[in-house]
Amino acid sequence: MAPNLTLYADSAWMSPWVFHVLVALEEKGLPYTIEQIPLPITEPLKSELKAKAILGKVPVLVHDGTWITESLAISEYLAETFPTPGHARLFPANLVERARARQVMSWLRTGLFGLRNDRPTSNVFGPPSFGPMSDKAKADAAELIDVASALVKPGATQMFAEWSIADADLALCLMRMVACQDPMPEHLARYALAQWDRPSVQKFLAHVPTSR
Ligand SMILES: N[C@@H](CCC(=O)N[C@@H](CS)C(=O)NCC(=O)O)C(=O)O
């Protein structure tokens, strides 16, 4: 029987964390429906979400009455609930690469606030509109390029031996700069654009789940 999955997404389609979950669902080849919520989330709806999903934020994944928040918790849940070989992998099979993927995703969620502030995802998912970077954003941009350069070899279209959901997250962060034509090594821009061509990412840009 097909699983019963619903993704609660922001109706403006700007959330990098909703992006992560939608890409995960698409890569897994799972059927799902979308509920769109305008941000900021109103207090009554926030309370309703908290009662069911602990946190009143998007993304929320609902699977057969189980409500989960936090994008990383959701992709881990999807990876374990719908494992290979029946479904595609989200995390590298190799232990060290898997740890690295988690390291990158955790770092992207807890840092780079200057860059995230000056180069919001609205530039990537909508028409670019941006000013000069603050010193903090410039430092974050340099850190992002350093980290990405350590992980993405010239000519590579993925970080590890196989694609992982960490590639989608790293590519989106790089796209914050690519969309604003900020300088970066050519091979990193090419890596980000290659990720952008994936059907799962294109699905996010179209805001429509694949009908299965
Ligand atoms: N760390 C969380 C972040 C979730 C989050 O911050 N969601 C924002 C949208 S990007 C949200 O729901 N904000 C609405 C609010 O706080 O009212 C994740 O990875 O899912």
Side-chain angles (χ1 to χ4, degrees):
M1 207 172 77
N4 188 8
L5 294 161
T6 303
L7 168 62
Y8 281 69
D10 62 309
S11 55
W13 295 97
M14 296 292 163
S15 166
W17 320 124
V18 169
F19 168 84
H20 174 94
V21 173
L22 192 146
V23 168
L25 286 162
E26 289 289 336
E27 294 281 349
K28 278 270 168 213
L30 292 163
Y32 61 99
T33 54
I34 290 174
E35 290 285 338
Q36 297 186 47
I37 297 181
L39 298 190
I41 302 174
T42 59
E43 264 323 307
L45 183 52
K46 212 177 239 304
S47 303
E48 217 177 290
L49 286 177
K50 281 184 187 167
K52 291 173 169 158
I54 314 293
L55 301 171
K57 288 182 186 253
V58 291
V60 183
L61 181 79
V62 187
H63 177 215
D64 287 339
T66 298
W67 293 60
I68 307 167
T69 38
E70 288 294 317
S71 55
L72 267 181
I74 295 171
S75 54
E76 296 263 3
Y77 176 85
L78 290 173
E80 287 166 11
T81 309
F82 305 100
T84 54
H87 299 273
R89 251 180 207 295
L90 294 180
F91 296 87
N94 176 279
L95 257 185
V96 173
E97 291 189 344
R98 192 148 78 237
R100 254 324 153 237
R102 287 184 171 127
Q103 184 185 340
V104 170
M105 291 189 289
S106 175
W107 169 71
L108 288 170
R109 280 162 179 72
T110 53
L112 306 180
F113 290 107
L115 180 69
R116 282 158 64 177
N117 187 60
D118 289 8
R119 292 294 182 263
T121 53
S122 49
N123 290 304
V124 182
F125 298 137
S129 168
F130 55 91
M133 281 193 200
S134 64
D135 287 347
K136 173 73 180 88
K138 281 183 192 159
D140 287 349
E143 184 183 355
L144 173 63
I145 287 170
D146 269 3
V147 170
S149 300
L151 291 163
V152 179
K153 294 182 183 66
T157 55
Q158 55 198 28
M159 273 184 277
F160 307 116
E162 56 201 325
W163 177 88
S164 81
I165 189 71
D167 283 307
D169 283 359
L170 181 63
L172 172 53
C173 201
L174 290 167
M175 285 299 286
R176 291 173 187 266
M177 295 176 64
V178 172
C180 300
Q181 298 183 351
D182 294 318
M184 79 163 56
E186 179 69 22
H187 80 279
L188 294 182
R190 283 187 192 281
Y191 157 82
L193 290 167
Q195 288 295 319
W196 232 239
D197 281 344
R198 288 183 79 85
S200 56
V201 171
Q202 290 299 313
K203 274 291 166 193
F204 178 87
L205 302 178
H207 312 152
V208 194
T210 304
S211 51
R212 295 185 169 99

